[in-house]
Amino acid sequence: MSMTGRVALVTGGGHGIGRATVAALRAKGALVAAADVDLAAARAVADDTDGVLAVRLDVTDRSSVDAGIARCVEHFGRLDCLVSTAGGDRETPEFAEMSDDDWSAAYELNLLGVVRCVRAAVPHLGEGGSVVVVGSVNGLAAWGSEPYSVAKAGLGVLVQNLAASYGPRGVRVNLVAPGTIRTRVWDGQGGPDRLAPMYPLGRVGEPADVANAVAFLASPDAGWITGVTLPVDGGVSTGPIHLLRDRW
Ligand SMILES: NC(=O)c1ccc[n+]([C@@H]2O[C@H](COP(=O)([O-])OP(=O)(O)OC[C@H]3O[C@@H](n4cnc5c(N)ncnc54)[C@H](O)[C@@H]3O)[C@@H](O)[C@H]2O)c1
C-alpha cells in the first residue's frame, strides 16, 4: 500500500488499460479519479470501486482538461500523480493518401492530449509527485500507422524533458510503451491473439500487465527512476530472432 494517502488521476480511466490502472493504483492505496471523455464508463468504474471519483475530461479540449483536474483537486484536496492513458489509433489510408487531418488528429489526441494534461496537473504536484504516460511500441520502431506512431514517438523526448525540468522539484516523469494489449480496440480486427506468435513470451498482453508497470512507476517504489521509457511488450522489442531460429 505504498500510495496510501496519495491521489491519482487517470485519463482514459473508463476502459481498457486506464481502467486496469485505476484498479492497480487503488490496490496500492491511492484515491483515484477515473477521468474520461466517456463519463458513463468512468461512472461505471467509480460505481464498482470505492475511493474512485468519476470525472468527465476530454484530452483534446484544454478547458475540459483544466476543469477535470480542478474537479479532482477540489474533491480530494490534492493531486500527487497523473497517469495519461487516453489515446488511440484510427483507420487511415496508405501514407501517400493521408490528409493533413489524419496527421493532426493523431497529434491532437496522442501528443497534445498528454501535453494538456501534464500542463494542468504539474502545478499541483509536489515532492514525491509523479507522471506516467502510456505510449506504444509504435513509438519505438516501425509498426505502421505513421501518424499515431510519430505522435507516440514524441512522448519519449517529452518525458525526458519534463523529467529534467521537474526533477529538481521532486516530480518524476516516465513513459511505458505497451505492445499488443487485449482491449476493445482489437474487437473489430479479429482479436489480438493472432499476433501472439510475434511475442517471445508467447502471448499478447493483458491490461493488468501494463497497469502493474504503471503503478510501479507511479509509486515511491520507483523513487529514483525518471525520464525513462519502459517497454511492456512481452519482449517484442528484442526483434524477430525467436521466429527465425530454424533458419539461422
Ligand atoms: N490496446 C493496445 O494494443 C495498445 C497498445 C499500445 C498502446 N496502447 C495505448 O494505450 C492507451 C489505452 O488504450 P486501450 O487499448 O486501453 O484503449 P481503450 O479504447 O480500451 O481505452 C481508451 C480510453 O480512453 C478514452 N478516451 C478516448 N479519447 C479520449 C479523449 N479525447 N479524452 C479522454 N479520454 C479519451 C476512451 O473513452 C477509453 O475509455 C492508448 O493511449 C493506446 O494508444 C494500446
Side-chain angles (χ1 to χ4, degrees):
M1 300 288 273
S2 58
M3 295 186 73
T4 300
R6 309 234 171 169
V7 174
L9 180 141
V10 180
T11 74
H15 290 280
I17 292 168
R19 183 175 183 144
T21 300
V22 171
L25 292 170
R26 277 298 292 137
K28 283 191 176 286
L31 299 167
V32 186
D36 208 293
V37 70
D38 182 349
L39 182 59
R43 284 203 172 122
V45 176
D47 288 347
D48 259 15
T49 323
D50 69 312
V52 176
L53 171 73
V55 172
R56 188 186 178 279
L57 181 156
D58 178 355
V59 301
T60 65
D61 174 351
R62 182 174 187 174
S63 59
S64 170
V65 169
D66 293 349
I69 287 179
R71 168 90 184 94
C72 171
V73 172
E74 175 196 72
H75 182 84
F76 288 122
R78 57 189 292 151
L79 181 65
D80 305 283
C81 170
L82 167 71
V83 179
S84 179
T85 83
D89 197 3
R90 70 174 195 185
E91 195 86 30
T92 48
E94 187 256 316
F95 177 78
E97 308 298 327
M98 280 178 200
S99 66
D100 287 0
D101 182 56
D102 289 324
W103 282 90
S104 33
Y107 269 65
E108 272 296 322
L109 178 60
N110 293 292
L111 186 56
L112 295 180
V114 176
V115 169
R116 290 184 188 100
C117 293
V118 180
R119 184 172 55 198
V122 88
H124 299 286
L125 305 179
E127 179 71 37
S130 71
V131 175
V132 184
V133 178
V134 174
S136 171
V137 290
N138 280 58
L140 307 179
W143 290 105
S145 213
E146 292 90 345
Y148 170 75
S149 301
V150 173
K152 290 291 195 184
L155 296 173
V157 175
L158 178 66
V159 302
Q160 287 179 323
N161 278 279
L162 295 174
S165 296
Y166 293 106
R169 268 178 40 185
V171 175
R172 299 177 300 101
V173 186
N174 293 294
L175 176 69
V176 298
T180 307
I181 306 298
R182 190 189 313 281
T183 68
R184 63 181 186 162
V185 303
W186 294 98
D187 286 354
Q189 305 176 55
D193 287 320
R194 66 198 160 83
L195 300 176
M198 283 194 323
Y199 287 82
L201 289 179
R203 64 170 177 88
V204 301
E206 302 296 331
D209 290 315
V210 182
N212 290 336
V214 170
F216 165 68
L217 287 172
S219 78
D221 299 337
W224 211 49
I225 301 176
T226 195
V228 306
T229 296
L230 175 65
V232 181
D233 68 353
V236 80
S237 303
T238 58
I241 186 78
H242 66 291
L243 298 172
L244 301 172
R245 286 235 188 268
D246 297 346
R247 279 180 262 170
W248 217 245

